[in-house]
Amino acid sequence: MTPEKQSLFAEHAYLPDGWRRNVLLEWDADGTLTAVTPDTAEIPADVQKAAGPILPGMPNLHSHAFQRAMAGLTEYRAASGNGATDNFWSWRDLMYRFAARITPEGLASVAQWLYIEMLKAGYTSVCEFHYVHHTPEGKRYTNQAELAQRVVDAASAAGIGMTMLPVLYQYSGFGARAPRDDQRRFINTPESLHELLAALRAARPENAALRYGVAPHSLRAVSEQSLRALLDGLDRSAPVHIHIAEQTAEVDACIETEGARPVQWLLDRFDVDGRWCLVHATHVDANETLALAKSGAVAGLCLTTEANLGDGIFPAHEYLDAQGRIGVGSDSHIGVDWRAELRLLEYGQRLTRRQRNVLASAHTPYVADRLFDAALEGGARATGRATGALQAGHRADWLVLDPDHASIAGHAPNNWLSGVVFCEHGETPIRDVYAGGDKLVENRRHRDEEGAYARYRIALAELLK
Ligand SMILES: [Zn+2]
């Protein structure tokens, strides 16, 4: 039985105005914070005490759940011949072979295990950019939302907050090129995608832990007309996510067929604002960087995946200085750890500029604090859900740090985020994780970890047969 109202006391909690002492958190049966009170004089007698300092839970703004099953299986050179190189496109061929084999049951098991890994890492929400919709033959399932529904159910079973973004994938390249045969499980029209979304909404209505939006896959996979048709049928506040400029080859193809770079093209034609998330805005020129920052859209950065795929480096310094919004995602899930995403965001800048503390600002000189704040705010915006801050009206999503962990022990609070983000010493400093007020991870173990891992292993064995 869940009591009507629950509460937790923390000696230290990271509130919107920074670290505060003696904080009482109170939330309702729905998992929404009702009050956050710092400087509480004494702990009320019946209130539990957190095992360490509390941070808000991080939103993960970009995920393709099925790709978790192929992490670590593409790290060898597949291209042959003299001077041959592997790149994003050769990786994509391998990924398509995986996508062709996934079953509804397999997807459910992989997704649930992945979401447990996310929770253990301190991600308390996920935006799922879901594009495998059809049977291996490319036909509709009897329930056309079968696969998306499996993913929604996996999130609910794991306890993570979800923003489900069914993907419109219509073409194989700029100029409305016909889809490839190995894309047959992904293909929809704006109309059929809206039908799928309607079926999904009817079966799994929105609630405080579940939000729907859409994801036009990329400018190479939709046309201007189909993107308009997709957005026209959508509620004006629903999140819209798109892969935008991950690869120089797609930037070149966009210039050739559309006469403009992808980010510029999109900003010129659509009302891009704070409900948009532009994932992998990696290749932007100086004008696009400033225009994107000004639009209020979130740049979705997936540093470990972008490094793994050899994508390139986003001009984070210029963009953040122009007040641009960012968030982070684990995308292909080569790693599932927001700490690594933030670290790599800064390290990419250090290595190219041969400087330190590049992404600090005059206002926030601690790099980890600035990036953590930005990724919380931008990530929450990308989810379209009230999360990412310890304040009344937001989800009761947070992590409890281990105060004895070697990355923070003995340090003053102003260095805690630096230790959490930049130190890599042994196991994670994240001890407990709450989402929607539920304590899902306790002492680094998720409550359903054993069973979910066993099912993941069975799904993986099937996929690798
Ligand atoms: Zn992606």
Side-chain angles (χ1 to χ4, degrees):
M1 277 280 293
T2 313
E4 279 285 288
K5 195 162 181 169
Q6 298 180 72
S7 51
L8 184 72
F9 175 85
E11 274 181 32
H12 299 271
Y14 193 76
L15 305 192
D17 57 352
W19 286 109
R20 298 294 299 268
R21 296 292 308 265
N22 300 329
V23 178
L24 183 66
L25 300 156
E26 296 170 276
W27 64 100
D28 63 19
D30 199 33
T32 302
L33 282 162
T34 52
V36 177
T37 316
D39 306 318
T40 308
E42 56 186 75
I43 318 176
D46 52 347
V47 169
Q48 285 226 341
K49 204 175 149 197
I54 285 185
L55 287 173
M58 180 62 72
N60 185 341
L61 59 58
H62 195 61
S63 164
H64 308 288
F66 81 89
Q67 291 179 14
R68 172 63 186 86
M70 55 184 283
L73 295 177
T74 62
E75 307 302 319
Y76 60 93
R77 186 176 294 173
S80 56
N82 247 351
T85 54
D86 274 337
N87 57 26
F88 170 86
W89 307 102
S90 59
W91 171 84
R92 192 181 73 158
D93 287 339
L94 295 172
M95 184 267 282
Y96 279 6
R97 278 183 231 162
F98 241 79
R101 293 179 58 90
I102 197 95
T103 61
E105 299 73 26
L107 179 60
S109 301
V110 171
Q112 194 184 342
W113 173 246
L114 169 67
Y115 297 150
I116 286 174
E117 287 183 322
M118 285 186 192
L119 284 161
K120 291 174 65 169
Y123 283 124
T124 48
S125 307
V126 59
C127 300
E128 185 63 35
F129 200 104
H130 173 76
Y131 59 86
V132 186
H133 297 301
H134 308 310
T135 70
E137 296 75 36
K139 305 236 166 22
R140 276 188 181 190
Y141 283 97
T142 313
N143 166 11
Q144 58 180 309
E146 171 79 42
L147 292 177
Q149 199 171 307
R150 296 280 187 157
V151 174
V152 167
D153 290 348
S156 161
I160 197 167
M162 159 145 294
T163 302
M164 165 50 76
L165 306 157
V167 171
L168 176 61
Y169 207 116
Q170 197 169 7
Y171 305 114
S172 70
F174 288 98
R177 292 227 315 257
R180 294 171 22 165
D181 184 55
D182 57 3
Q183 295 169 332
R184 63 188 177 274
R185 298 193 77 176
F186 319 153
I187 303 301
N188 276 292
T189 61
E191 297 71 33
S192 68
L193 194 81
H194 275 298
E195 277 176 36
L196 188 153
L197 189 52
L200 191 53
R201 274 181 191 281
R204 300 289 184 270
E206 280 192 345
N207 58 49
L210 173 65
R211 181 88 202 260
Y212 292 112
V214 291
H217 178 274
S218 53
L219 294 183
R220 58 180 198 272
V222 297
S223 64
E224 180 173 355
Q225 193 186 12
S226 65
L227 180 50
R228 275 194 208 291
L230 179 69
L231 298 176
D232 282 349
L234 196 68
D235 136 35
R236 280 287 305 151
S237 68
V240 180
H241 291 216
I242 184 169
H243 292 135
I244 193 67
E246 182 170 11
Q247 290 291 316
T248 51
E250 79 181 314
V251 174
D252 294 344
C254 190
I255 293 170
E256 195 176 307
T257 57
E258 307 294 331
R261 303 171 60 85
V263 169
Q264 195 62 57
W265 186 93
L266 186 70
L267 293 175
D268 285 347
R269 282 164 185 77
F270 289 85
D271 187 14
V272 174
D273 59 15
R275 75 165 169 152
W276 285 74
C277 177
L278 274 57
V279 182
H280 310 304
T282 313
H283 299 289
V284 279
D285 66 19
N287 288 333
E288 288 176 299
T289 304
L290 297 181
L292 179 57
K294 207 170 151 204
S295 74
V298 178
L301 309 178
C302 308
L303 292 305
T304 56
T305 294
E306 289 157 7
N308 186 266
L309 297 180
D311 288 347
I313 292 183
F314 174 71
H317 180 56
E318 294 80 357
Y319 179 77
L320 284 174
D321 277 0
Q323 317 298 323
R325 290 188 167 125
I326 61 159
V328 295
S330 59
D331 188 3
S332 70
H333 314 302
I334 187 67
V336 179
D337 184 353
W338 57 264
R339 300 157 55 228
E341 303 298 335
L342 297 184
R343 191 158 61 232
L344 195 50
L345 178 57
E346 166 69 15
Y347 282 175
Q349 301 293 314
R350 291 191 191 188
L351 289 165
T352 47
R353 290 166 185 264
R354 284 171 280 167
Q355 295 171 8
R356 299 192 73 246
N357 301 321
V358 179
L359 299 179
S361 69
H363 180 262
T364 313
Y366 286 81
V367 178
D369 296 45
R370 187 175 190 218
L371 297 184
F372 183 77
D373 291 350
L376 269 186
E377 200 270 330
R381 179 169 288 273
T383 69
R385 298 173 53 250
T387 182
L390 298 176
Q391 62 185 60
H394 282 56
R395 294 293 286 167
D397 293 347
W398 61 77
L399 11 152
V400 181
L401 298 174
D402 176 353
D404 298 318
H405 191 274
S407 63
I408 60 170
H411 298 175
N414 63 333
N415 272 311
W416 284 346
L417 270 167
S418 303
V420 167
V421 170
F422 286 104
C423 293
E424 300 180 72
H425 305 121
E427 64 184 357
T428 175
I430 297 167
R431 185 187 188 279
D432 306 329
V433 180
Y434 292 66
D438 275 345
K439 192 181 199 176
L440 299 165
V441 174
E442 182 161 13
N443 206 9
R444 300 182 178 84
R445 295 197 73 76
H446 185 279
R447 63 185 184 191
D448 297 328
E449 192 165 325
E450 285 77 13
Y453 188 60
R455 290 191 295 279
Y456 169 73
R457 291 291 302 266
I458 292 168
L460 190 64
E462 277 296 313
L463 272 168
L464 300 181
K465 244 187 205 164

